[in-house]
Amino acid sequence: GAGVSQSPSNKVTEKGKDVELRCDPISGHTALYWYRQSLGQGLEFLIYFQGNSAPDKSGLPSDRFSAERTGGSVSTLTIQRTQQEDSAVYLCASSLYAGETGNTIYFGEGSWLTVV
Amino acid sequence: SQQGEEDPQALSIQEGENATMNCSYKTSINNLQWYRQNSGRGLVHLILIRSNEREKHSGRLRVTLDTSKKSSSLLITASRAADTASYFCATAPLNTGFQKLVFGTGTRLLVSP
């Protein structure tokens, strides 16, 4: 597609429920990233996929968070048993490839998650 | 932890004036990127500067990088009301690879007509 596409744009969920957030990266981009932005804060790295390599999960805040990327394209971020502190904007990004100093990373519009 | 720190946290100017935002970081980097964010949603990539570059221009934007001081600046010339947004610098630290961009908390720019 023309840009990184995320869905849903907004999600309100009850505490304890599971949520899935979807990301469709730019066509041809092999690298995919998830970031989280809490209110008034900068972005926090969550997870990174590069091609068929094992993902870098070092930023996931707890084992309630998981992500997968099917067929090297679409990714789903899953948050189980949501807590109020999970409320944030979840931003997906993609890039042509990682490993070159001039690699530009493009972000989607984000999914705003509110846990009530 | 946030590596990048933007300064100032908030900036209010009139249309036509120039806006300068600064970013400081802590560790050696591969590159530094500036992004704009409107209304807390998606980030728009503005410019990337490599660690071996000192200055880059893109339209009304001018970015400088001083690796000896571990700092960068973003200058927006002849600002417009549409430039109102939050601006973030993001670094790709050498020791974590290119994928883990580290963001600062941003500068909120308000341009008044």
Side-chain angles (χ1 to χ4, degrees):
Chain A
V4 178
S5 178
Q6 292 188 245
S7 62
S9 296
N10 293 282
K11 175 73 175 179
V12 179
T13 189
E14 293 181 352
K15 178 181 173 181
K17 295 284 181 70
D18 298 351
V19 296
E20 286 188 350
L21 307 176
R22 176 191 167 100
C23 173
D24 198 346
I26 294 172
S27 179
H29 280 193
T30 60
L32 186 147
Y33 318 75
W34 284 98
Y35 283 80
R36 177 171 71 174
Q37 185 179 29
S38 301
L39 186 63
Q41 300 298 312
L43 274 73
E44 172 190 15
F45 169 82
L46 295 178
I47 189 170
Y48 155 75
F49 296 88
Q50 172 59 51
N52 296 321
S53 301
D56 180 343
K57 305 179 182 179
S58 60
L60 294 178
S62 77
D63 58 8
R64 296 186 296 105
F65 288 74
S66 63
E68 63 177 19
R69 188 179 186 192
T70 55
S73 181
V74 172
S75 176
T76 301
L77 176 69
T78 301
I79 309 172
Q80 296 178 310
R81 305 181 302 281
T82 51
Q83 304 294 313
Q84 288 185 329
E85 60 263 29
D86 299 334
S87 296
V89 178
Y90 289 83
L91 289 148
C92 178
S94 71
S95 63
L96 192 58
Y97 63 94
E100 192 271 322
T101 59
N103 188 34
T104 298
I105 299 176
Y106 298 91
F107 282 82
E109 287 293 302
S111 293
W112 189 288
L113 174 66
T114 303
V115 182
V116 297
Chain B
S1 63
Q2 298 291 341
Q3 154 146 275
E5 294 184 2
E6 283 90 344
D7 168 48
Q9 291 187 344
L11 180 61
S12 183
I13 59 174
Q14 299 291 317
E15 264 192 328
E17 294 180 340
N18 296 340
T20 300
M21 288 160 271
N22 303 297
C23 168
S24 61
Y25 57 91
K26 297 176 183 176
T27 64
S28 296
I29 61 172
N30 292 299
N31 64 63
L32 184 146
Q33 306 185 47
W34 283 91
Y35 289 85
R36 184 185 73 224
Q37 185 179 43
N38 292 11
S39 303
R41 296 311 294 252
L43 275 74
V44 175
H45 184 265
L46 296 177
I47 200 163
L48 180 150
I49 186 164
R50 293 179 172 83
S51 59
N52 62 352
E53 297 176 316
R54 292 297 168 258
E55 186 172 315
K56 285 191 81 170
H57 297 254
S58 177
R60 294 184 295 113
L61 306 180
R62 172 177 170 257
V63 169
T64 63
L65 178 65
D66 187 335
T67 53
S68 66
K69 296 181 179 178
K70 292 186 170 59
S71 67
S72 173
S73 68
L74 170 66
L75 169 66
I76 304 174
T77 60
S79 64
R80 307 166 181 168
D83 295 329
T84 295
S86 291
Y87 292 82
F88 294 88
C89 69
T91 56
L94 272 175
N95 62 349
T96 63
F98 306 99
Q99 65 273 24
K100 291 182 184 177
L101 285 185
V102 180
F103 285 81
T105 53
T107 292
R108 296 186 306 280
L109 174 65
L110 173 63
V111 182
S112 301

